[in-house]
């Protein structure tokens, strides 16, 4: 054991990095997600008490697993309703422990993919699939998930609890479904993984947590592809995430300021990751079943091609966004389509597309106001652009993005002031 200056911080880091893996291992054997979460929570509390006094164990993850397993076994013994399940659970843990010992004492299987399929089972309300996966598989707090889905933390917590109880009471299996049934289950799984990546990309947490969450989503994408090597949409999802991840370090300058895509230093992009993403996209194309994740990956590939050609092919992006909106007409896709049309044709054409959107739906949608502000500024309507920038700034949760938009708003306001002055000459 080692004695770090802050054992509590070590415990928090291990919990953040290993939460989903530990929960998946425990729940796959107990068939009870809430009980697994309670057992791990108690184990973490024990670590916070014990580690500062005795030192951090050489394998903190294994220590937490043993402690959580013990808590889970004790809780099961005390629940008379589950008395008949106790022998089965004991045997499952003993067998797992034997395999761990055979593997070298420090390794236990990563079964998050099984938990992911349990969370997106058809018996569970589809509206909670993604949220359930985000919490159980990746350990994201309910209040963060609630903010993403624009509901109260209390409402989200209630939905998650009901879904976890459903998994237990309905006996939903913790297993990757048989191949014949996989295609019907795939869409929910892909959406959940991409939502997890989106949270990491948007950065609702701190920088370290954001990068970790994105990495976990990419791991899930790779794990899924290992099970479904011939599924083009699974390939497309991984390609999409890798394309985005390749640009992570270029999204901020040396002073931490936000840098938009078309102004990023292309030398800072990860060329190896981009090459892998493009190879995956070509592989997916060979199956001749083009889907929305492949389309989004193709869009990112066009942007990535700027590092070779020196310019963005806006006409190609216009075609791809038309296909994406046809397949999946989400608000985000339609706003992005308007932005691309504004660059490929002219600002007026982009604004016309924005005006066709449901104004109630876009009222609190930050990207809409950011795109509208940019297009209005390009069209020379600096007064309206200033107002739109104010709306976009107020809806943005990122300090770096707010600072960037504030800078653009000041330019629009200055241009408006200059025009006013010229009118007086």
């Amino acid at each position: 054991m080692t004695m770090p200056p802050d054992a509590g911080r070590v415990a928090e880091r291990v919990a953040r990095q290993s939460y989903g893996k530990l929960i998946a291992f425990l729940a796959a054997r107990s068939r009870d997600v809430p009980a697994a979460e309670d057992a791990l929570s108690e184990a973490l509390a024990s670590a916070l008490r014990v580690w500062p006094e005795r030192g951090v164990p050489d394998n903190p993850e294994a220590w937490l697993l043993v402690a959580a397993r013990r808590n889970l076994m004790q809780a099961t013994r005390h629940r008379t309703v589950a008395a008949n399940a106790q022998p089965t659970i004991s045997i499952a843990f003993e067998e797992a422990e034997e395999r761990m010992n055979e593997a070298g004492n420090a390794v236990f299987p990563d079964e998050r993919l099984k938990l992911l399929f349990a969370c997106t089972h058809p018996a569970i309300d589809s509206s909670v699939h993604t949220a359930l996966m985000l919490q159980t598989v990746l350990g994201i707090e309910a209040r963060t998930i609630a903010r993403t889905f624009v509901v109260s933390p209390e409402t989200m917590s209630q939905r998650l609890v009901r879904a976890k109880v459903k998994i237990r009471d309905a006996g939903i299996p913790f297993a990757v479904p048989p191949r014949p049934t996989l295609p019907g289950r795939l869409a929910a799984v892909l959406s959940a993984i991409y939502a997890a990546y989106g949270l990491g990309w948007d950065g609702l947490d701190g920088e370290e947590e954001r990068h970790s969450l994105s990495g976990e989503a990419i791991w899930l994408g790779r794990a899924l592809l290992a099970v479904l090597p011939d599924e083009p949409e699974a390939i497309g999802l991984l390609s999409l995430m890798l394309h985005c991840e390749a640009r992570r370090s270029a999204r901020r300058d040396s002073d931490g300021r936000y840098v938009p895509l078309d102004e990023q230093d292309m030398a800072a992009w990860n060329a190896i990751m981009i090459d892998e993403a493009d190879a995956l996209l070509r592989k997916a194309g060979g199956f001749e079943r083009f889907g929305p994740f492949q389309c989004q990956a193709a869009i990112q590939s066009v942007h990535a091609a700027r590092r070779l050609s020196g310019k963005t092919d806006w006409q190609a992006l216009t075609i791809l966004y038309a296909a994406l909106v046809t397949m999946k007409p989400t608000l985000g896709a339609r706003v992005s389509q308007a932005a691309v049309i504004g660059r490929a044709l002219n600002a007026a054409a982009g604004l016309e597309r924005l005006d066709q959107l449901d104004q109630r739906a876009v009222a609190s949608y930050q990207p809409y106001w950011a795109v509208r502000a940019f297009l209005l500024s390009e069209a020379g309507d600096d007064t309206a652009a200033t107002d739109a920038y104010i709306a976009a700034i107020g809806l943005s949760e990122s300090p770096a993005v707010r600072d960037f938009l504030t800078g653009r708003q000041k330019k629009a306001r200055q241009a408006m002031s200059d025009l006013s002055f010229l009118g007086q000459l």
Side-chain angles (χ1 to χ4, degrees):
M1 290 201 174
T2 58
M3 190 68 73
D6 190 348
R9 187 170 298 174
V10 174
E12 291 175 2
R13 187 183 71 247
V14 173
R16 185 170 59 245
Q17 294 174 344
S18 305
Y19 182 90
K21 187 178 177 183
L22 291 164
I23 289 295
F25 183 90
L26 295 165
R29 285 154 183 80
S30 66
R31 310 289 178 181
D32 191 335
V33 174
E37 291 176 331
D38 290 343
L40 181 56
S41 179
E42 292 177 21
L44 289 168
S46 297
L48 291 173
R49 290 194 306 269
V50 173
W51 292 1
E53 297 177 3
R54 303 180 186 176
V56 176
D58 295 333
N59 191 327
E61 189 178 67
W63 190 101
L64 287 172
L65 177 60
V66 171
R69 170 189 175 277
R70 187 184 305 116
N71 295 335
L72 191 55
M73 296 285 287
Q74 290 174 347
T76 303
R77 290 192 186 99
H78 292 138
R79 287 199 301 269
T80 56
V81 70
N84 293 333
Q86 171 60 28
T88 302
I89 294 173
S90 298
I91 292 171
F93 274 119
E94 288 167 4
E95 291 176 349
E97 202 167 61
E98 287 176 7
R99 288 200 301 272
M100 288 167 60
N101 291 333
E102 291 172 0
N105 191 41
V107 178
F108 64 96
D110 194 329
E111 298 181 318
R112 283 175 289 178
L113 199 57
K114 293 181 180 179
L115 180 56
L116 175 55
F117 274 100
C119 291
T120 54
H121 193 276
I124 298 174
D125 187 344
S126 60
S127 66
V128 80
H129 282 174
T130 298
L132 184 60
M133 176 273 216
L134 289 173
Q135 186 174 75
T136 58
V137 181
L138 297 173
I140 302 175
E141 294 183 347
R143 66 172 179 268
T144 300
I145 300 172
R147 189 161 67 246
T148 303
F149 287 86
V150 198
V151 298
S152 70
E154 295 76 15
T155 298
M156 180 55 68
S157 294
Q158 290 170 2
R159 291 177 183 174
L160 292 170
V161 168
R162 286 196 297 268
K164 292 171 190 176
V165 170
K166 179 74 171 181
I167 291 176
R168 181 190 65 202
D169 293 349
I172 291 175
F174 286 74
V176 176
R179 183 166 292 276
T181 64
L182 271 173
R185 302 279 302 278
L186 187 59
V189 173
L190 293 175
S191 295
I193 293 175
Y194 189 49
Y197 184 81
L199 273 179
W201 179 257
D202 290 340
L204 293 179
D205 298 312
E207 182 66 30
E208 182 181 350
E209 291 85 350
R210 178 172 70 232
H211 188 272
S212 174
L213 182 56
S214 298
E216 292 295 281
I218 290 173
W219 181 93
L220 287 170
R222 291 190 186 281
L224 184 64
L225 192 56
V227 176
L228 297 169
D230 298 329
E231 176 49 57
E233 276 296 82
I235 301 171
L237 171 61
L238 182 56
S239 174
L240 170 60
M241 293 189 293
L242 290 175
H243 263 305
C244 294
E245 195 67 15
R247 300 197 303 267
R248 177 176 293 279
S249 62
R251 297 178 71 208
R252 302 285 188 272
D253 65 15
S254 57
D255 296 319
R257 291 187 292 261
Y258 171 77
V259 182
L261 175 57
D262 58 354
E263 296 178 16
Q264 288 176 8
D265 177 7
M266 294 174 287
W269 293 355
N270 187 321
I272 295 175
M273 202 173 286
I274 291 173
D275 288 344
E276 181 185 2
D278 280 336
L280 286 166
L281 188 56
R282 288 193 295 272
K283 178 182 177 182
F287 294 96
E288 298 184 349
R289 283 187 285 135
F290 196 56
F293 282 112
Q294 295 169 75
C295 189
Q296 291 175 83
I299 287 170
Q300 297 306 321
S301 181
V302 171
H303 284 298
R306 181 165 61 89
R307 68 192 177 99
L308 302 177
S309 66
K311 60 182 180 180
T312 300
D313 188 343
W314 294 106
Q315 292 299 329
L317 290 176
T318 301
I319 295 170
L320 286 169
Y321 268 108
L324 180 61
V325 168
T326 299
M327 291 184 287
K328 200 167 186 178
T330 63
L331 182 58
R334 297 179 71 184
V335 168
S336 295
Q337 181 189 33
V340 166
I341 289 174
R343 298 295 293 268
L345 300 177
N346 52 64
L351 287 167
E352 183 180 353
R353 285 293 179 128
L354 289 181
D355 290 340
Q356 293 171 5
L357 300 177
D358 183 348
Q359 294 305 298
R360 291 171 298 179
V362 301
S364 59
Y365 188 57
Q366 193 270 352
Y368 166 85
W369 292 105
V371 170
R372 186 172 189 82
F374 172 78
L375 292 177
L376 285 167
S377 183
E378 288 291 295
D381 191 345
D382 294 307
T383 301
T386 298
D387 292 338
Y389 273 124
I390 291 173
I393 293 166
L395 291 168
S396 178
E397 296 187 14
S398 167
V401 172
R402 282 199 299 270
D403 289 344
F404 169 77
L405 292 173
T406 298
R408 287 202 163 178
Q409 179 209 5
K410 288 179 179 177
K411 289 181 180 179
R413 194 163 52 202
Q414 182 60 49
M416 184 172 57
S417 176
D418 291 344
L419 287 173
S420 176
F421 174 72
L422 289 172
Q424 298 175 18
L425 294 179

